[in-house]
């Protein structure tokens, strides 16, 4: 069996928060850039997601802390609620209710990391803090520790899990 090594998420991925353009400016919404909120993942059962209920414009992107999240990034809701999960099927943006994980493909397989996080959602929820509603910070997500096998083994495991998901 392959050797597994302990990593923090920040060792194999970039963690990116989201943002919301001012809703007072109608020029920021209705564009062509997919923009997700945790609501878009409520009762969402697919692994990949292309878009949500709303889109933002280039101007909305420029005038907010939202960032383009690349295809294959893992979208993890970090508040209201913690723990909804999907993979970006294309470039996308999110509001501040997400901590998106952009995996370095030279170290980790994004599909493997998706299943790893999915299997550890309850543990991740346990790190939530806050009085109005629980939230997991970027620092917490970056410092989450996981054991990973070598990249080829990750890919094989992810392919098996994906195959099982497809059958379900």
């Amino acid at each position: 069996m392959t050797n597994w090594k302990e990593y923090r998420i920040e060792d194999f991925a970039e963690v990116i928060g989201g943002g919301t353009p001012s809703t007072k400016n109608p020029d920021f919404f209705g564009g062509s850039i997919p923009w997700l909120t945790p609501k878009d993942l409520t009762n969402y059962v697919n692994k990949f997601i292309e878009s949500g209920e709303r889109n933002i414009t280039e101007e909305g992107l420029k005038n907010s802390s939202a960032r383009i999240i690349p295809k294959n990034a893992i979208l993890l809701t970090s508040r209201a609620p913690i723990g909804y999960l999907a993979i970006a099927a294309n470039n996308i943006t999110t509001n501040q209710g997400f901590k998106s994980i952009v995996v370095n493909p030279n170290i980790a397989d994004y599909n493997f990391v998706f299943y790893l996080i999915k299997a550890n959602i309850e543990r991740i929820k346990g790190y939530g803090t806050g009085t109005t509603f629980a939230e997991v910070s970027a620092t917490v997500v970056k410092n989450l520790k996981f054991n990973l096998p070598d990249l080829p083994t990750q890919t094989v495991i992810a392919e098996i899990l994906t195959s099982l998901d497809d059958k379900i």
Side-chain angles (χ1 to χ4, degrees), residues 88-99:
N90 43 263
N91 289 350
I92 211 159
T93 60
T94 68
N95 77 354
Q96 57 276 18
F98 285 84
K99 300 297 180 275

Side-chain angles (χ1 to χ4, degrees), residues 117-152:
I117 291 171
K118 187 175 182 178
N120 285 277
I121 284 297
E122 292 307 314
R123 176 171 69 109
I124 294 168
K125 286 180 183 179
Y127 291 114
T129 59
T131 52
T132 306
F133 47 80
E135 180 172 5
V136 176
S137 70
T139 301
V140 166
V141 175
K142 289 176 185 178
N143 286 297
L144 289 170
K145 292 180 181 176
F146 294 104
N147 290 317
L148 274 62
D150 60 50
L151 192 52

Side-chain angles (χ1 to χ4, degrees), residues 55-126:
N55 287 350
I56 61 173
T57 62
E58 285 289 338
E59 190 177 349
L61 179 64
K62 289 176 190 167
N63 288 284
S64 71
S65 58
R67 288 180 49 192
I68 297 289
I69 308 297
K71 177 181 178 178
N72 298 331
I74 298 154
L75 310 172
L76 169 66
T77 60
S78 56
R79 69 179 193 184
I82 298 168
Y84 291 165
L85 202 59
I87 298 174
N90 43 263
N91 289 350
I92 211 159
T93 60
T94 68
N95 77 354
Q96 57 276 18
F98 285 84
K99 300 297 180 275
S100 298
I101 301 165
V102 181
V103 175
N104 177 338
N106 297 317
I107 302 171
D109 180 291
Y110 71 90
N111 273 303
F112 180 83
V113 174
F114 170 83
Y115 288 113
L116 190 64
I117 291 171
K118 187 175 182 178
N120 285 277
I121 284 297
E122 292 307 314
R123 176 171 69 109
I124 294 168
K125 286 180 183 179

Side-chain angles (χ1 to χ4, degrees), residues 7 15 42 61 64 77 112 114 145 149 154 160 163 165 168:
Y7 291 91
V15 176
T42 302
L61 179 64
S64 71
T77 60
F112 180 83
F114 170 83
K145 292 180 181 176
Q154 290 177 48
I160 292 167
S163 174
D165 257 1
I168 293 170

